[in-house]
Structure formats: structure tokens, C-alpha cells
Amino acid sequence: MRGRLHDVVWGTVRVVLAIALFGVVWQLAQSAEHGRADDLGFPRLAIRDAEGRDTGRLKVCGDLYREPFCLRAEPVAVDDVLRKRKTSGGDRYLIEFGRSDGPPLALTLRVDRADEDVIKAAAGGRGEATLYWWRDSVRLLEVSAGGEERTIRTAHYPGREFTPPAAFGAAVAGLGAAALWAGLWRIVRGGACRLNWPWQTAAPGVTFTMAGLGGALGALFSASSPRAMVWTAGVVGAVSAVGMACWAHWWVRRRLPALDRIAPLAPVTERRFPGAVWGPGPWKALSAGWLRTGPQGLAAVPGPATGTGTFGVQPFPGALRLVQVRPPHRDDPLRLRFGYRRTDGSAEPGPKEEQFPLVAECEAVGGPVPGARVLIGAGTEDLPYVLGALCAAAPSAPSDDGGEDVRQRE
């Protein structure tokens, strides 16, 4: 019950986090849609001929056109040009403009290589410049100097305003979908989920996250193609789903130990190794952190010291019947979940290799708590000795197939 409550609490936390992320996505979507609506109105400012072709001219406010259906032109003087940062495609410049009816204005613009000479030639009032305003922001800068004329787009040029919120919203949407799936799975099936990289949550979570990043990449091209976000999110999500499905198959079939091939090893000599025991009643006292197998039977010991001493040794209070061998689950006690170091039963220092943790789920046969559920945790190299000790201590009553009543299920 404790593990189930733990799953419900943490699953609910993930669902609440997903709802909060979707709230952020909603706000970003509204901002992106508002910016895109402004962009849709910008092409109407271009003058087109009878066949609908763009003539390369803009509707400038005056006697014929009125705001907001035109660009407001403001003649300015280029006072100074300062390069702030050098980039591969073009440098970023801080350009200071002198205005006739207001305070000076400074803009930071990315200038292409072909336009740098004209911008620098116009500095100091040696050229002419015009700022084109629309919806209270500068959209275009027209500069002429030395007989050449250039038109430079600012960061508020249509197609660039809604891109950042759309890209960020797509990425957050992917994270929200991953958190929602993880929370719902934790609430419904969390206790039965493998502790070690549960593919039921890892694979869909990575797929949703990558799809969100694909949508964010598509937002960079959505100015020319509004459906680019959907296409890129779908393609990246599909590729990620196939990749994660292959990963899940490899992890479950190859990386996890083959539980059906774990054979019991008869305890001929005494062997001590890291392990944990969990159960009701007297089984609660067997939490020393080390187990001993051998002719004396299963017992919990305080450490890895060799020998047959009895100080601190706690024998198992009764016989156990093996029910199944499985990886740790999320609702298992905490001391059963951690990995175990491979050991040869001695305290001598030397290289030790991490083992994959496994749990032997058993049922008490007789003893102080008959029928109790007892869990024994050990590593993949040590658990066969536990199974051998269980077989040696099992009741002699034959099972239906004529052998001992010892079963293993995945």
C-alpha cells in the first residue's frame, strides 16, 4: 500500500506539472498567433499589379494611404555605426540615428556582407536613411550612400516576430506530453513497472520530447510554410518512436538478464555477498546488508568477513518457497532497488564489477508467519546461490511433476 500511495502521489505531481506546462504552451500559442496575424496583414502593404505580382514597392502613408494600412516613413541621419559582434553570415552593428523631431534612436541590426560598405559610407551624415514603421516598431531600414541603395530588414520584420514563441511553445508542448504520459502511467501501472529504465515511460517520453524539438525546428521555417511545424514534429516524432522501440526491444531482450536461464547453484562452501531481505514479522530483522549461503543454510550476516563464526549471524526463521525471479519494481522496498557489487566472498581489495539487481519473490512455508511474502534481493552473479539454498531448504514434499516445488517465472 505504501508503494501504491507513493506512485499515486508522484504520478499526480507529474500530471500537475504537465498541466502547468500546457498552460505555458497556451500563452505562447496565443502570442505566436497574434504575431502571425500581424504578419498576414503585412503583404497587403505591397503594391501589386493587375495580375497579382509584387512590384517591389510598399504602401507608404500619405495622402493616398492611412495607418495601419501603410508604412510610416521617417527620414533620419546615420550618426554613427559601431560593430558589436562578428558572425559568420554578417556582423551585428549598433547604428545611431539622428531624428529631427525627437531624441536620438539606436538600433542593433544584423547587416549582411554586401550591405556593410553602404552602412559605413552613410555614417556621419554622408548618406541618407529612412526608417519604415509599422505597428509601432521599425520593420525596414533604407540606406543610400555613394550612389548605392540598400534595404535592411529588422528583427521585427514579418516572419520573425512569432517564430520564438512558436518554437519555444513546441518544445514545451513535447515536455508537457512526456510528463503527462509518465504521470498517468505511474498512477495506473507504476507499481508493476520495472525500476531500471522502465521503457513504458522512457520510450514515449523521449519520443514526445523529440517531436517537440522537431516542431521547434520547423517553427524557424514556418514564415514561408505555416505547416512546417506539423511536418517536422511528425517526422522527428516518428523517427524517434522507431528508434526508441528498437532500444526498448534491445534493453528488454538483451540487456536485462534472462530470468528463465538462471539455474540454482548448490551451496557447497560458505559464501558471503551483498544482499537484502524484506518481509513481515521476524523477517524485518534480517536487514544487515549481507547474506550467507552454505551448508548451514541461508542467513543474514553483518559483513563480508570469511569464516564460520556465528557472531551477528541471523539464520532465516523458516523455509521459503520460490515464487518468481524478477527485476526490482518501483513499489519494492528501497533497500532492494540498488545495484550490488560482485564479490568472491572475501574481504580482500580488488576490482569488483557492478551486478544487475534481481529480486527473488518467495512465500514462507510454515514458520512464525506462514504464507508471508518475503523478498530477497541480490545481484545476478549471487542470486543463483540463493536459489540453490532455497532448493536445499525446501520441504521434501514432491510437487505435481515429481520434483521440488520450485518455480521461476519472468
Side-chain angles (χ1 to χ4, degrees):
M1 183 63 185
R2 179 192 61 83
R4 180 59 181 164
L5 180 61
H6 186 268
D7 288 329
V8 172
V9 170
W10 283 105
T12 304
V13 169
R14 286 178 171 82
V15 171
V16 173
L17 175 62
I19 294 175
L21 291 177
F22 285 138
V24 175
V25 172
W26 173 259
Q27 295 296 329
L28 292 171
Q30 294 297 315
S31 176
E33 183 62 27
H34 179 72
R36 185 170 180 270
D38 287 349
D39 290 350
L40 292 177
F42 190 86
R44 294 197 298 267
L45 304 181
I47 300 178
R48 300 178 181 274
D49 57 18
E51 298 180 0
R53 294 174 298 186
D54 189 357
T55 59
R57 293 179 295 169
L58 296 172
K59 294 181 179 179
V60 181
C61 298
D63 296 335
L64 185 59
Y65 304 109
R66 299 295 178 182
E67 293 188 88
F69 306 105
C70 58
L71 289 169
R72 179 167 56 88
E74 179 185 4
V76 294
V78 180
D79 292 341
D80 197 3
V81 178
L82 301 174
R83 187 170 66 183
K84 295 186 61 177
R85 188 174 62 187
K86 187 176 182 63
T87 60
S88 58
D91 299 343
R92 296 185 67 87
Y93 285 90
L94 176 63
I95 307 175
E96 298 179 356
F97 300 98
R99 308 168 72 182
S100 59
D101 56 351
L105 177 66
L107 294 179
T108 301
L109 300 177
R110 180 181 179 276
V111 181
D112 295 335
R113 303 292 187 192
D115 303 332
E116 289 182 359
D117 296 336
V118 179
I119 289 291
K120 294 177 181 179
R126 297 190 299 269
E128 298 180 355
T130 303
L131 298 177
Y132 290 95
W133 295 77
W134 187 55
R135 297 187 185 274
D136 298 326
S137 61
V138 179
R139 305 303 176 109
L140 294 171
L141 167 63
E142 191 175 79
V143 182
S144 60
E148 296 187 17
E149 183 176 328
R150 294 288 189 272
T151 300
I152 302 172
R153 299 177 179 181
T154 68
H156 290 273
Y157 190 81
R160 301 179 184 178
E161 272 197 325
F162 73 93
T163 297
F168 189 62
V172 175
L175 295 176
L180 180 62
W181 177 269
L184 293 178
W185 180 266
R186 189 76 179 268
I187 293 173
V188 177
R189 294 292 303 278
C193 185
R194 283 191 173 105
L195 177 69
N196 300 84
W197 281 94
W199 65 268
Q200 298 93 336
T201 54
V206 173
T207 299
F208 287 132
T209 303
M210 294 303 296
L213 294 178
L217 179 63
L220 303 178
F221 308 97
S222 57
S224 57
S225 178
R227 296 183 180 179
M229 289 182 60
V230 179
W231 280 106
T232 53
V235 171
V236 174
V239 173
S240 301
V242 173
M244 292 307 298
C246 296
W247 170 85
H249 176 79
W250 172 84
W251 178 262
V252 174
R253 299 299 180 186
R254 301 294 180 88
R255 181 64 178 87
L256 294 180
L259 303 181
D260 56 347
R261 294 200 298 268
I262 296 180
L265 295 179
V268 178
T269 59
E270 181 177 305
R271 192 174 189 275
R272 301 189 180 200
F273 49 86
V277 181
W278 179 88
W283 302 98
K284 291 183 179 180
L286 306 179
S287 58
W290 284 75
L291 297 178
R292 184 198 70 182
T293 59
Q296 303 91 345
L298 274 170
V301 292
T306 58
T308 58
T310 59
F311 177 77
V313 176
Q314 298 175 297
F316 278 31
L320 297 174
R321 181 180 65 86
L322 180 65
V323 177
Q324 65 172 332
V325 177
R326 57 172 175 78
H329 290 173
R330 290 187 180 275
D331 56 355
D332 287 340
L334 200 60
R335 59 177 176 266
L336 296 173
R337 301 181 181 183
F338 297 104
Y340 303 95
R341 293 284 183 178
R342 179 179 298 177
T343 176
D344 55 0
S346 65
E348 295 295 330
K352 294 178 174 61
E353 185 177 341
E354 190 77 16
Q355 301 184 64
F356 194 90
L358 293 176
V359 173
E361 187 173 342
C362 306
E363 180 184 356
V365 181
V369 189
R373 178 172 175 261
V374 180
L375 304 179
I376 304 175
T380 50
E381 300 295 326
D382 301 323
L383 192 68
Y385 295 94
V386 175
L387 301 183
L390 291 176
C391 292
S396 57
S399 60
D400 296 339
D401 56 356
E404 294 178 341
D405 190 11
V406 177
R407 294 174 292 147
Q408 297 183 37
R409 300 196 307 267
E410 184 174 355

